[in-house]
């Protein structure tokens, strides 16, 4: 499974968050695209519209399990996708910004 470390992600890298709505609302990476894993196949078109054509899709969840499943699926579809190691827990621990749905400081649920 292709993986990327949080520290290797640059500001502006495309990020797909596959956590559930309550997790997203509590706190997420600003600018990430949110498609919960349970809705992912049905909403796949949203990803293809938003993702950079020649760029990588960095998939994140809370700890890395759900995002690994989605990254694997995307790779099978021919998309350059990687799992973000440690997920939002590591994202927050590394001091990367986490915001809630109002754009205020958030937390990882």
């Amino acid at each position: 499974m292709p993986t990327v470390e949080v520290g290797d992600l640059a500001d502006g890298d495309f990020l797909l968050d596959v956590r559930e709505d309550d997790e997203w609302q509590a706190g997420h990476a600003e600018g990430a695209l949110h498609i919960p894993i349970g809705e992912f196949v049905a909403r796949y078109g949203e990803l293809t519209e938003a993702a950079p054509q020649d760029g990588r899709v960095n998939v994140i969840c809370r700890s890395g399990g759900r995002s690994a499943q989605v990254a694997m699926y995307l790779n099978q579809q021919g998309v350059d996708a990687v799992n973000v190691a440690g997920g939002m827990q590591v994202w927050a621990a590394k001091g990367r910004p986490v915001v809630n749905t109002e754009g205020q400081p958030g937390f990882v649920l």
Side-chain angles (χ1 to χ4, degrees):
M1 166 57 50
T3 302
V4 64
E5 300 294 326
V6 168
D8 294 332
L9 292 171
D11 290 342
D13 282 351
F14 186 81
L15 195 62
L16 170 64
D17 190 322
V18 298
R19 296 175 302 145
E20 297 303 321
D21 288 335
D22 60 335
E23 294 172 289
W24 170 263
Q25 291 166 4
H28 57 271
E30 193 167 14
L33 173 65
H34 178 232
I35 304 176
I37 190 170
E39 302 171 16
F40 186 75
V41 174
R43 294 175 57 189
Y44 183 75
E46 292 177 43
L47 172 67
T48 58
E49 288 179 19
Q53 294 302 311
D54 296 325
R56 182 175 70 189
V57 175
N58 301 288
V59 188
I60 197 165
C61 67
R62 183 173 186 267
S63 61
R66 290 172 284 181
S67 53
Q69 292 174 41
V70 172
M72 187 180 324
Y73 173 82
L74 289 172
N75 281 304
Q76 290 169 349
Q77 306 310 307
V79 176
D80 180 12
V82 295
N83 184 34
V84 178
M88 286 299 298
Q89 290 178 318
V90 171
W91 180 276
K94 295 277 186 185
R96 301 294 288 264
V98 176
V99 296
N100 65 20
T101 51
E102 286 81 41
Q104 301 299 316
F107 62 94
V108 177
L109 186 61

